[in-house]
């Protein structure tokens, strides 16, 4: 394979493979890039979407840049990839998507914005990333489904939750006493059926960028 992509809960390999013919690997951790570079024929491109935060050592900027120094094109988006791209873009890593832009601009800066818990066997997420909630609420406000004040109450409540407990259901339960019933119901319907999944959208943008580069 000319490209290797680390991903998991942001976008399943089954869906990703419809976008790009690549080697799909589990969320990245310390040592994974070094392992790729040690192959007889390393990939031309590495894409980083998801990464490990708690159970293993996170991939370091130094290891990412070792691939760049070897002439490998490295893309990042969505989650760990967006974090590392914001740090390493000045030295050649390529950031893709809205979440990368949010980190690169300083609009967000905390790791917990993208952190979630998930089933390592199935890749299924057990919590919702803060950054997805931010973009979703912003979309609901922009569409006029809820007021900016309601959006701020929701985002503030979500941020106060420890990230493993951060789910739409839990946030809606916390904010229910503080919101007008109609707006609470509007948010519930929006998250159930229409809310964007920015992590998944950004992962697809990364796959598209790699596909375009490889021709």
């Amino acid at each position: 394979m000319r490209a290797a992509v680390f991903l998991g809960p942001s976008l399943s390999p089954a869906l990703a493979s419809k976008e790009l013919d690549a080697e799909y690997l589990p969320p990245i951790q310390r040592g994974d890039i070094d392992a790729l570079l040690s192959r007889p024929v390393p990939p031309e491109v590495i894409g980083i979407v998801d990464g490990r935060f708690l159970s293993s050592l996170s991939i370091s900027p130094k290891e990412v840049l070792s691939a760049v120094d070897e002439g490998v094109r490295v893309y990042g988006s969505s989650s760990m990839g967006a974090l590392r791209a914001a740090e390493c873009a000045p030295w050649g890593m390529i950031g893709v998507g809205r979440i990368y832009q949010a980190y690169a601009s300083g609009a967000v800066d905390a790791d917990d914005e993208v952190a979630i818990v998930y089933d390592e066997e199935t890749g299924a997420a057990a919590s919702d990333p803060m950054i997805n909630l931010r973009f979703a609420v912003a979309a609901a406000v922009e569409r006029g489904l809820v007021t900016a004040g309601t959006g701020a109450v929701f985002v503030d409540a979500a941020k106060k939750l420890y990230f493993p407990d951060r789910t739409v259901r839990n946030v809606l339960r916390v904010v229910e006493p503080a919101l007008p019933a109609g707006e609470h119901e509007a948010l519930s319907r929006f998250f159930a059926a229409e809310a964007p999944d920015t992590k998944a959208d950004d992962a697809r943008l990364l796959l598209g960028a790699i596909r375009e580069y490889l021709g």
Side-chain angles (χ1 to χ4, degrees), residues 85-110:
E87 295 167 330
C88 298
W91 296 277
M93 188 175 179
I94 302 165
V96 179
R98 297 181 72 188
I99 296 170
Y100 160 71
Q101 290 293 342
Y103 277 110
S105 69
V108 297
D109 59 10

Side-chain angles (χ1 to χ4, degrees), residues 95-160:
V96 179
R98 297 181 72 188
I99 296 170
Y100 160 71
Q101 290 293 342
Y103 277 110
S105 69
V108 297
D109 59 10
D111 289 0
D112 85 310
E113 290 283 332
V114 294
I116 62 168
V117 289
Y118 64 95
D119 186 310
E120 294 194 8
E121 291 187 6
T122 66
S127 63
D128 293 309
M130 184 68 218
I131 196 72
N132 268 12
L133 300 181
R134 285 188 186 278
F135 281 119
V137 168
V141 172
E142 185 176 349
R143 289 177 51 184
L145 300 178
V146 297
T147 64
T150 287
V153 169
F154 184 95
V155 168
D156 183 61
K159 188 66 175 178
K160 289 177 179 176

Side-chain angles (χ1 to χ4, degrees), residues 20 75 206-215:
L20 175 70
Y75 291 83
L206 176 144
L207 299 175
I210 293 174
R211 185 175 62 246
E212 182 177 354
Y213 171 72
L214 293 174

Side-chain angles (χ1 to χ4, degrees), residues 8 24 27 34 38 58 64 68 72 94-95 134 144 150-151 192 200 202 205-206:
Y24 289 101
D34 288 343
S38 70
S58 298
V64 170
V68 175
V72 178
I94 302 165
R134 285 188 186 278
T150 287
D202 282 4
L205 289 174
L206 176 144

Side-chain angles (χ1 to χ4, degrees), residues 25-47:
L25 301 166
I28 197 167
Q29 61 185 334
R30 188 77 53 86
D32 283 347
I33 286 180
D34 288 343
L36 289 180
L37 297 180
S38 70
R39 291 179 176 180
V41 182
E44 296 176 44
V45 179
I46 295 172

